[in-house]
Amino acid sequence: MYRRCGFRYEKKLRATGVARIAGIDEAGRGALAGPVVAAAVLLPEKFRHRRLNDSKQLAPELREEIYCELTSNLEVRWTVGIIDSIEIDRINILRASHRAMRMATESLLEPPDHVLIDGLPVIPFPLPQTAIIDGDCISLSIAAASVIAKVTRDRMMRDFCAQFPQYCFGQHKGYGTELHLLRLHEFGPCPIHRRSFEPVAQPLLALEDLTSTTAPPARRSRRETGLSLPAEQGLQNSLS
C-alpha cells in the first residue's frame, strides 16, 4: 500500500544540486464550508517513515499520530497557510488554494530551492516547482504536507462544530455529505459556509443530485510539470 511513496522526485532534484525541497499540498478545496488549508514541508534528506502516505489513505487516528510525529520532529520544517470562506467567496476557490500554498511556502524560515506540488502547476509561484498528479501518494514530502494540512483543517472544523453544532461539522468536516446537505437545507448557511458554492445557495437541489446515480469520474493520468517562475509580490503570510 505504501511502496510507491518515497523520495524519487526529491532524489532527482538533489542529483542536480537542489538542496532544499518542500512538498506542498492543500485540504478543503471541495468542501462547502470552512477554510482551505495548505501546508509546506521540508523533510531531512535521510527522513524515513514506514506509514506516511497520502492523508486520504490513512485512518483519522493514524493521521493524527503521524501529524504529531512530524510536527514534533525538530528536523522537519513546516508551515501552513489558511484562507477563510469569506476570501474564498471573494476570489474563488482555485485562487484561494493557490494563495494558501504561496502563504505556506513564504512562511518557512528558510525558503526552499524547489517545491513539489500535488496536482497541477500553481501560477504564479515565487519558486521553481514540479507539479505531480497524485503526488501525495508518490512523494514523501507532499504526503507529509497532505497530512499536516488535513489534520490542521480537521481540527479547525471540529472547533467550528462546537460553535455551530446544528451542522455536525465534526462528522463531515464541511464536505457535501447527505447529512450536511440536510442540515444546510433545514437551517440555511452559517457564517463559515461558502456562499459562492452552488450547493450552499441551492441545498435542496444539491441533495437531490446526491441521491441520483452518476457515472464515476475519469481517472486522471499521472504526470509531472516542471516550471521556474518569478516571485509574486504583496502576499501576506498566515500561520495556524
Side-chain angles (χ1 to χ4, degrees), residues 47-63:
F47 178 84
R48 297 292 182 271
H49 200 293
R50 184 171 53 87
R51 299 176 296 173
L52 176 58
N53 200 8
D54 169 19
S55 64
K56 297 185 293 295
Q57 298 185 31
L58 302 174
E61 297 80 7
L62 182 54
R63 274 200 306 265

Side-chain angles (χ1 to χ4, degrees), residues 5 7 47 55 136 170 183 196:
C5 200
F7 276 141
F47 178 84
S55 64
D136 46 9
R183 296 303 175 90
S196 58

Side-chain angles (χ1 to χ4, degrees), residues 182-204:
L182 282 169
R183 296 303 175 90
L184 185 58
H185 176 60
E186 182 178 359
F187 298 104
C190 75
I192 68 164
H193 275 104
R194 302 173 183 177
R195 294 170 187 266
S196 58
F197 281 39
E198 186 173 340
V200 177
Q202 302 184 58
L204 183 58

Side-chain angles (χ1 to χ4, degrees), residues 24 98 101-103 105-106 112-113 115 122-129 228-233 235:
I24 301 176
H98 289 179
M101 291 178 179
R102 290 190 294 265
M103 283 181 174
T105 306
E106 293 178 347
D113 304 312
V115 297
V122 175
I123 301 173
F125 203 80
L127 295 166
Q129 63 177 292
S228 297
L229 298 171
E232 174 180 309
Q233 298 179 348
L235 292 176

